[in-house]
Amino acid sequence: MSRVMVSMWGFALAATAFAAPAFAQEDPAKKTQTAKNFWGVSAEKLEYRYSDSDEELAVIEGDAYYGTDELKFRWLFAGEWEEAHNAWETLENQFVGQVPVDDFWDAKAGVRIDTPEGPDRVYGVLGLTGLAPYWFEIDTNLYISDEGDASVDFEAEYELLITNYWIVSASFESLVAFSEDQEIGVGKGLNSTEVGLRLSYDLIDRSLAPYVGVVYERKYGDTADLARDSGGSTEDWFAVVGARVMF
Amino acid sequence: MNKRLITGAFALLMPVMAWAGEYDLTVDRVTIDTGDFKKQGIGYNGASPGPVLKFKEGEDVVINVTNNLDEMTSIHWHGLILPFEQDGVPGISFPGIAPGETFTYRFPIVQAGTYWFHSHSGFQEPNGAYGAIVIEPEGREPFRYDRDYVVQLTDKHPHSGDRIMRNLKMSADYYNRQQQTVGDFFDESGEKGFVATLRDRMMWGDMRMMKADIEDVQGFTGLINGKGPEQNWTGLFKPGERVRLRFINSSAMTYFDIRIPGLKMTVVQADGNNVRPVSVDEFRIGVAETYDVIVHIRDEEAYTIFAESMGRSGYARGTLAPSEGMVAAVPELRDAPMLTMADMAGHMDHGDMDHGSMNHGAMNDDTMDHSAMNQESMNQGDMDHSAHGGGMPEDPFYASGSGLLPTASNGGKFLSYADLRAQSPLFEEREPTREIEMRLTGNMERYEWSINGIKYEDADPIVLQYGERVRFKFVNETMMTHPMHLHGMWSILDVGAGKWNPIKHVISVAPATTVYMETEVDAPGEWAFHCHLSYHAASGMFRKIVVEGGPDSSVAEGEQSGKQGGES
Amino acid sequence: MTVTKFMVTAAAMSLSAAAFGAGAHGHGHGNGAVTGEPADASEATRTVAVAMYDNYYEPEIIEVQKGEVVRFVVENHGQLVHEFNIGTPDMHEAHQAEMSMMVEHGVIQGGKINHDMMAMDMGDGHSMKHDDPNSVLLEPGQSQELIWRFSSDTNIEFACNVPGHYQAGMYGDVTIK
C-alpha cells in the first residue's frame, strides 16, 4: 500500500518536472515577479472544556504548512489533555502532502502517528479537504493503521456571520471504523460524534479570535461499551472557552 | 501665462526638484505615519511617497538610484516610453539593483503629462516605494490653469505586503469585512421576502462566491500625498483660479471614486495623454491610472477632495482651500455596493461553455454597439435610455445590471471610459494585424489569478513582431475588476471612436465584460504585462511580452507597410 | 421625455438668439449689462486675427477702446469644432448648457457640424440654429469674420462654449480701456 503511494508520488513529481516548458525555467522574472512559497500556522481550537460530569480537558487542534499552490506540506496536530489523569487522552500528529484536485478541493496523503497515554498507532492517511457548495468546510480521511484496521473520519463546519466580527461556527465530527481495535477503544461501526457551537469574536484581524461555546460528544455501539468497561462516559456535554489563532 | 504656470509649480507643497537632466534617488527604509497607524516601509530620498520628479519633454534624463536597503530593489517608470533596458522590471529589463549599489537609468523623455514611478520588486510598492512624475510639454498645453498639484492616492495598509499576500493565500476573505451577515439576511427578507432572499443566498452559496468580493484587501487608510484623512493634505488657491489636479492612483489594490463637492471637474488628461475636455461631477480611478482635471474655483471657500474606495471600505481625503487650516465638510461613505449575477456572467460561463463562442460574441457586440453609439453620433444619451426602457443608467464598460456601475453622489455626471477621446490622435488609424484573446481568469477561493487559465510561472511569453498592430481582447471571467498594464507601448482603448480612441497605459476591465485595446508594436525588447493589483500580479496574472525584430528588420517593415491605411 | 427636453432647449436657444438680435440680453446677473452689438464692416477701426486651436485661442488677451468697432477674423486651425463667442462669464455659462444639448443631439460631432440636424424644425418654428450675432461656430479649416462694437465696459471674455472647452481654458480676456 505505502509502496504504491510512494511510487505514485514519485511519478507525479517527475511528470511535473518534465512537463514544465523550457521557457518556464529561462525566464528569471518568474522568480522576481511571483510570490510562490507560502507558510502558515493556525490553531482552529485552543480551548478548555468543562464537562457536565466535572471532567476537565485542554484541547488543541491546529496545523502548520509550507508550500506552493500546487503542493503543500502540512503538519496537523490534535490532542486532548485530561486534567484528572495529567495525560494526553488523544494525541495525533499527521504529516501529509496536499495537492489541488478541483477548484475547491484538495487531496491529502501521508502518515498519522498517535502517541497518547496508552498504545501508539501509526496510520497511512488519504484525505479530501475543501469547500462544498453553500460554504460548508469539509475534511474527510481514510486511515489504515499498522494493525491493519481501517477507519474514516468526517468533519464539517459552517460559519454564520452575526456581524463581520462576531461569528458563530457550527461543527460536526464523526468517526467510523471498519474493524475493531479494542486496545485503543475503537469498536466496529460508528464510533462517535461530536457537535459543537462556538461564538467567536475577531479581536486582532483574524489572528486571534477568543470564543465560548458548547460541545456534545457521544459514543455509540461497541465503542460505547468499551468506554463503559474502562469506566469512561459515553455521553458528555462540555462548556468550552478558548481562542482561534492564525499566523 | 508661462509665468503663471511656473508660479503654480513652485507653489507645490511637495519636495520640488530642479529642471536639470540629472537626478539622484535613494531607496530608504522610512516610517510611514498615516494618522491611524505608524508603519515601517520603503521610500525615496527618505520619504514615502518619494519626490515629484519634474522632467521636460525632449530632455535626456540621467537618474542615479542608490539602494540603501538590505534587499534587491528596482524602479519602474510607469507609463514612460523608453528603451526596455531602462524599464526597471527585475528579470525582464535588468537584474535589479543590489543592496548598496547605485544603478544609473538613462533615457530620453519623449512625452508629456502626469505619470508615476514605483518599485517592481516584491511588495516594495505597497510598502511605500512610489512617487510622482510630472513632464512639462515642449509646446503649450491645450488647456490653461493657474497652478497645479499632484494628488497621489494610495491604500496604506498596517500589514506588510508579504504578510497580506500570505494571509490571502491562507484565507482569501482574510481582509473582507463587508460580507453579508445574518442581520443583512433579515433586512433583505423584510424587503424582498424570505424565500427570495434565501434563494439568492443559495444561488451564491452554490457557486461558493460572495457578492461582497469587491475589495480583497480592506483595513487600509487612504492617503493623499502621504497624508491620511485626519492629516488632511491641503492645496492652496486664490479665488478665481483654475487649478489642475494631477490624480495618480498608486494603490496596491484599491479603486477610488473621486469627487470635490461643490466643484465640477474638467478631465483633460488620462494616463498622461490629453483627452478632449469633459466636465464631470465624479470619476473612478483604477489602480495605476492617472487623471488630470481642472477645477475653476470662484468662491473663497474650502472644498473637500473626497476619494471613496470603490467597495466603500475606506477613503482618502484632502482639501483645496484659500488659506491653510480652512476645511470643508467631509461626506459620509456611501453604502457598499454588492456584485450582482450580471457580474458573475463571465465566471458562470467558465466550464460549461466554449469561450469566444456565442455568449461572449454577443456580449461583445453589445459593447461595441454602445460605444459606437456614444461615438460622436446622435442622441446617444437619451436614445440609449429609452432603448433600455428604464431609468437605470448604462455604461458599456460594465456588465448590464452590474452592481459596480458607479453613479455620481449628486446625481450628476460620472465619467465613463466611453467619454474619453484622444485630444489629438497619436497614431494613424489602421487595421490591426491580428487579435490576441486574453481571458482574465482566477480562483478567488485559492487566491490564484491567471491569464487564459495559466499562471505566469507556467506560461510561455507572448511574442509580438515589431511593426504589428495587435488587438487585445480582454474577456474578464472573474468577478473582480482588473487594471491591465502593458509596459513600454501604448494601450489604445477601443471606445468605438476610431482614430480618436484614447491612449492609455492601464485598461481597467470590469467583471463579465469584454474590452478591446490595440497596441502599435513599436518598442523592441522584453516587456512586462500584468494586472496592476499587486497581489493579483504576484499570484500569476502576469505575462512577459517579447517584441521580436526592430526598426532595422526588413521583415517587420514589409508587414507594416502592407497593413497600413485603415483610416476610420 | 426626450422630445420634450429637446424642444425646451430649442425654445430657450431661440429666445436667447432673439434677445441678442434686439441688442439686449436678459440675464439677471448682469444688471442690464450689454457687451456691445454687431456692427458694419465699414465702421471697423482695426482687424484682429484670432486663431483657434485645440483647445485654446491665440491671442488670449485683446485690448479695445470703449466704443471701438473691431473686425475679428477667426480661423479654426484645430481638429475640432470651436466657437468664438463674445460675452460675459455668466452669458457663457448659460450658453454652455445650450451647446451641451447641441453635442448630445449630434449637431456638433467632434470635428464636424451637422447642418441638417441644426436646421431641423423642432416644431413651433424652433431650431438649433447657431446664429447669434455675437458668435461664430467653425469646423476645422473654416474661417469667418465677426464685427463687434464694444459699447460697454463690463467684464467681457471671448470663449468657446463647446462642452469642456471653456472649462479647460479656451477663453480670452477683452480688456476695455
Side-chain angles (χ1 to χ4, degrees):
Chain A
M1 173 73 197
S2 60
R3 225 189 298 164
V4 172
M5 263 172 45
V6 168
S7 54
M8 269 171 65
W9 272 109
F11 179 74
L13 285 174
T16 320
F18 284 119
F23 256 129
Q25 279 143 19
E26 279 169 16
D27 180 358
K30 288 185 174 175
K31 277 218 170 80
T32 64
Q33 301 298 312
T34 303
K36 196 168 163 57
N37 296 299
F38 305 97
W39 60 272
V41 179
S42 65
E44 193 60 27
K45 290 178 189 136
L46 196 63
E47 67 192 24
Y48 228 78
R49 296 184 177 186
Y50 307 84
S51 82
D52 52 350
S53 52
D54 292 334
E55 198 185 350
E56 289 180 31
L57 289 174
V59 175
I60 181 168
E61 242 184 80
D63 74 275
Y65 85 91
Y66 178 82
T68 65
D69 292 339
E70 286 71 35
L71 177 61
K72 292 180 182 66
F73 293 98
R74 198 177 284 275
W75 166 40
L76 300 107
F77 46 94
E80 292 183 13
W81 174 266
E82 204 168 352
E83 201 56 43
H85 303 130
N86 237 4
W88 290 103
E89 191 177 302
T90 67
L91 184 60
E92 297 178 20
N93 281 283
Q94 284 190 39
F95 301 91
V96 296
Q98 186 176 334
V99 293
V101 290
D102 170 271
D103 279 354
F104 296 98
W105 297 95
D106 282 0
K108 301 185 287 184
V111 295
R112 164 180 151 193
I113 302 159
D114 283 14
T115 52
E117 187 74 7
D120 296 350
R121 286 289 181 275
V122 177
Y123 303 83
V125 186
L126 270 178
L128 194 66
T129 186
L131 187 68
Y134 313 111
W135 304 105
F136 289 97
E137 276 177 58
I138 308 290
D139 185 88
T140 183
N141 301 280
L142 168 70
Y143 303 103
I144 314 256
S145 78
D146 51 350
E147 303 284 312
D149 298 302
S151 57
V152 167
D153 72 359
F154 175 86
E155 277 184 49
E157 194 188 303
Y158 186 81
E159 288 191 346
L160 193 66
L161 274 60
I162 304 304
T163 72
N164 267 286
Y165 293 85
W166 288 100
I167 297 168
V168 170
S169 56
S171 61
F172 170 81
E173 293 175 30
S174 68
L175 179 71
V176 174
F178 298 108
S179 53
E180 192 180 75
D181 187 348
Q182 203 176 334
E183 242 193 322
I184 56 168
V186 170
K188 194 177 172 184
L190 177 62
N191 269 238
S192 58
T193 56
E194 183 185 306
V195 179
L197 206 61
R198 291 173 179 81
L199 173 67
S200 65
Y201 181 79
D202 285 352
L203 197 62
I204 305 168
D205 300 315
R206 294 194 200 268
S207 336
L208 179 65
Y211 60 79
V212 293
V214 288
V215 170
Y216 173 67
E217 242 184 47
R218 192 172 161 190
K219 295 186 170 71
Y220 302 87
D222 295 347
T223 312
D225 295 340
L226 291 169
R228 264 190 293 270
D229 293 348
S230 61
S233 59
T234 59
E235 209 176 327
D236 286 296
W237 280 95
F238 295 96
V240 305
V241 56
R244 206 169 49 230
V245 295
M246 181 154 120
F247 298 107
Chain B
M1 178 64 207
N2 259 341
K3 229 183 251 171
R4 266 202 279 178
L5 266 181
I6 290 166
T7 314
F10 279 119
L12 275 177
L13 295 180
M14 316 280 305
V16 177
M17 301 195 65
W19 294 95
E22 186 153 352
Y23 307 84
D24 295 312
L25 283 176
T26 58
V27 189
D28 307 306
R29 293 260 163 223
V30 298
T31 302
I32 297 168
D33 179 5
T34 69
D36 291 341
F37 58 88
K38 282 187 187 165
K39 175 82 187 158
Q40 292 301 305
I42 296 171
Y44 296 110
N45 294 356
S48 171
V52 177
L53 295 179
K54 291 178 165 282
F55 300 148
K56 208 170 150 90
E57 187 179 8
E59 78 173 326
D60 286 315
V61 295
V62 175
I63 309 165
N64 305 304
V65 180
T66 303
N67 182 2
N68 292 334
L69 308 177
D70 54 8
E71 62 191 55
M72 296 288 283
T73 194
S74 57
I75 296 183
H76 166 58
W77 315 97
H78 186 109
L80 298 202
I81 300 301
L82 35 66
F84 84 95
E85 302 90 340
Q86 306 297 315
D87 194 46
V89 181
I92 294 182
S93 333
F94 75 145
I97 310 170
E101 193 187 297
T102 297
F103 181 86
T104 301
Y105 287 91
R106 290 169 207 276
F107 51 89
I109 300 293
V110 298
Q111 65 206 104
T114 304
Y115 302 90
W116 61 299
F117 61 96
H118 59 83
S119 167
H120 226 286
S121 301
F123 297 110
Q124 292 176 357
E125 179 216 304
N127 292 348
Y130 66 94
I133 297 173
V134 169
I135 308 174
E136 190 197 11
E138 266 174 332
R140 69 153 285 166
E141 295 191 271
F143 38 78
R144 289 161 77 182
Y145 52 94
D146 302 297
R147 63 173 85 210
D148 68 332
Y149 291 109
V150 165
V151 183
Q152 195 166 21
L153 296 148
T154 196
D155 53 353
K156 186 62 205 159
H157 203 278
H159 291 176
S160 73
D162 281 326
R163 176 140 181 236
I164 292 172
M165 183 81 254
R166 204 168 63 73
N167 282 338
L168 288 168
K169 282 286 182 182
M170 272 199 291
S171 165
D173 68 347
Y174 191 98
Y175 294 102
N176 192 336
R177 298 293 185 175
Q178 291 180 324
Q179 301 179 37
Q180 289 183 299
T181 62
V182 178
D184 295 334
F185 181 89
F186 287 113
D187 288 349
E188 212 176 305
S189 295
E191 267 171 52
K192 298 178 185 161
F194 179 80
V195 176
T197 309
L198 187 65
R199 194 171 291 151
D200 172 79
R201 295 297 194 275
M202 298 283 279
M203 209 151 59
W204 288 85
D206 185 34
M207 295 186 298
R208 288 157 278 188
M209 289 285 166
M210 293 194 300
K211 283 192 212 181
D213 257 338
I214 293 171
E215 273 165 12
D216 296 351
V217 182
Q218 300 170 12
F220 57 85
T221 297
L223 305 185
I224 287 180
N225 298 337
K227 291 198 163 26
E230 294 310 311
Q231 297 165 331
N232 189 26
W233 174 84
T234 300
L236 299 179
F237 68 87
K238 290 197 189 80
E241 283 184 333
R242 282 174 162 79
V243 181
R244 174 184 189 173
L245 301 172
R246 301 169 180 269
F247 285 98
I248 304 169
N249 188 355
S250 301
S251 294
M253 294 298 283
T254 308
Y255 280 50
F256 286 101
D257 291 347
I258 297 173
R259 66 185 196 266
I260 308 175
L263 295 179
K264 276 259 180 194
M265 299 178 280
T266 302
V267 178
V268 294
Q269 205 176 77
D271 289 2
N273 290 287
N274 294 330
V275 295
R276 280 191 216 161
V278 47
S279 293
V280 301
D281 294 280
E282 196 168 339
F283 66 95
R284 176 168 290 174
I285 186 167
V287 169
E289 287 185 319
T290 75
Y291 286 97
D292 287 36
V293 309
I294 291 175
V295 290
H296 186 188
I297 318 180
R298 294 177 181 81
D299 300 320
E300 189 157 0
E301 268 179 37
Y303 296 89
T304 296
I305 300 172
F306 194 58
E308 279 174 290
S309 72
M310 178 167 76
R312 310 287 183 252
S313 72
Y315 67 96
R317 170 246 187 166
T319 299
L320 293 175
S323 63
E324 202 67 55
M326 282 179 76
V327 292
V330 180
E332 294 278 301
L333 279 172
R334 285 172 283 179
D335 286 343
M338 289 279 163
L339 297 174
T340 65
M341 277 295 159
D343 297 307
M344 300 302 305
H347 173 82
M348 287 190 302
D349 289 348
H350 189 65
D352 336 330
M353 279 201 64
D354 188 37
H355 292 291
S357 68
M358 273 178 47
N359 211 10
H360 285 302
M363 188 143 68
N364 201 5
D365 284 348
D366 198 36
T367 311
M368 290 312 292
D369 271 352
H370 281 283
S371 34
M373 262 214 236
N374 279 336
Q375 176 202 5
E376 319 184 17
S377 71
M378 304 176 27
N379 284 359
Q380 50 99 351
D382 296 26
M383 270 191 169
D384 258 2
H385 290 191
S386 48
H388 286 286
M392 265 307 279
E394 287 279 334
D395 181 327
F397 288 91
Y398 291 88
S400 182
S402 167
L404 294 174
L405 183 73
T407 52
S409 76
N410 64 353
K413 169 75 185 160
F414 200 108
L415 183 73
S416 160
Y417 267 3
D419 296 319
L420 298 179
R421 296 287 179 280
Q423 169 75 20
S424 55
L426 197 57
F427 298 103
E428 273 191 36
E429 174 76 352
R430 58 166 174 147
E431 282 297 312
T433 47
R434 63 176 162 140
E435 181 174 294
I436 297 177
E437 186 178 67
M438 291 210 173
R439 292 181 294 112
L440 309 180
T441 46
N443 180 330
M444 182 69 203
E445 199 51 37
R446 295 186 184 280
Y447 214 79
E448 291 177 21
W449 301 98
S450 51
I451 292 172
N452 294 332
I454 300 169
K455 293 190 294 182
Y456 179 40
E457 58 185 292
D458 303 320
D460 288 335
I462 295 167
V463 180
L464 306 179
Q465 301 302 319
Y466 181 87
E468 278 191 292
R469 181 182 175 111
V470 177
R471 185 170 173 83
F472 288 96
K473 177 185 184 182
F474 296 120
V475 182
N476 190 348
E477 293 182 359
T478 74
M479 67 304 167
M480 308 255 12
T481 310
H482 302 287
M484 302 305 296
H485 172 47
L486 172 62
H487 289 222
M489 292 165 275
W490 290 113
S491 299
I492 308 167
L493 171 66
D494 189 351
V495 299
K499 67 173 180 176
W500 301 103
N501 279 334
I503 316 290
K504 298 187 86 272
H505 49 60
V506 170
I507 304 287
S508 176
V509 188
T513 62
T514 299
V515 175
Y516 294 87
M517 75 169 201
E518 291 180 11
T519 292
E520 288 285 351
V521 182
D522 55 4
E526 301 191 346
W527 303 98
F529 176 57
H530 58 95
C531 173
H532 217 286
L533 301 181
S534 298
Y535 308 104
H536 287 194
S539 38
M541 205 176 246
F542 196 114
R543 282 294 185 274
K544 181 162 95 170
I545 300 246
V546 176
V547 176
E548 289 183 344
D552 305 328
S553 150
S554 56
V555 180
E557 254 173 52
E559 204 167 309
Q560 182 174 24
S561 57
K563 300 282 184 180
Q564 242 163 3
E567 187 74 2
S568 72
Chain C
M1 170 66 195
T2 306
V3 173
T4 326
K5 219 158 72 174
F6 201 124
M7 272 168 40
V8 169
T9 321
M13 291 176 65
S14 295
L15 275 175
S16 76
F20 283 121
H25 94 97
H27 289 287
H29 320 281
N31 292 328
V34 177
T35 59
E37 58 272 325
D40 202 74
S42 59
E43 297 175 78
T45 50
R46 67 188 165 112
T47 298
V48 174
V50 176
M52 294 165 153
Y53 296 95
D54 301 328
N55 300 315
Y56 56 92
Y57 296 108
E58 272 178 21
E60 286 180 328
I61 295 174
I62 296 169
E63 286 189 5
V64 296
Q65 304 293 324
K66 189 175 174 182
E68 191 181 1
V69 174
V70 179
R71 174 170 163 261
F72 292 100
V73 180
V74 187
E75 188 173 356
N76 186 350
H77 297 273
Q79 293 180 285
L80 302 171
V81 171
H82 292 295
E83 190 199 23
F84 175 83
N85 183 311
I86 297 168
T88 64
D90 285 341
M91 285 163 66
H92 291 313
E93 205 174 313
H95 189 40
Q96 278 153 28
E98 300 165 357
M99 295 286 274
S100 298
M101 274 309 200
M102 291 175 75
V103 169
E104 274 178 34
H105 292 279
V107 176
I108 298 171
Q109 300 174 4
K112 282 197 207 82
I113 300 171
N114 183 335
H115 292 278
D116 293 343
M117 192 66 201
M118 198 182 224
M120 201 154 94
D121 186 358
M122 305 310 298
D124 299 341
H126 297 305
S127 75
M128 290 211 282
K129 279 206 177 91
H130 190 274
D131 52 4
D132 306 349
N134 63 329
S135 159
V136 296
L137 186 66
L138 300 179
E139 284 183 356
Q142 286 185 328
S143 171
Q144 201 178 321
E145 288 189 8
L146 189 152
I147 296 128
W148 195 256
R149 183 194 310 280
F150 291 90
S151 53
S152 142
D153 53 5
T154 45
N155 177 20
I156 297 173
E157 291 173 341
F158 53 99
C160 172
N161 293 307
V162 172
H165 293 194
Y166 180 83
Q167 288 79 0
M170 190 164 184
Y171 67 94
D173 294 312
V174 179
T175 322
I176 297 175
K177 288 189 171 164

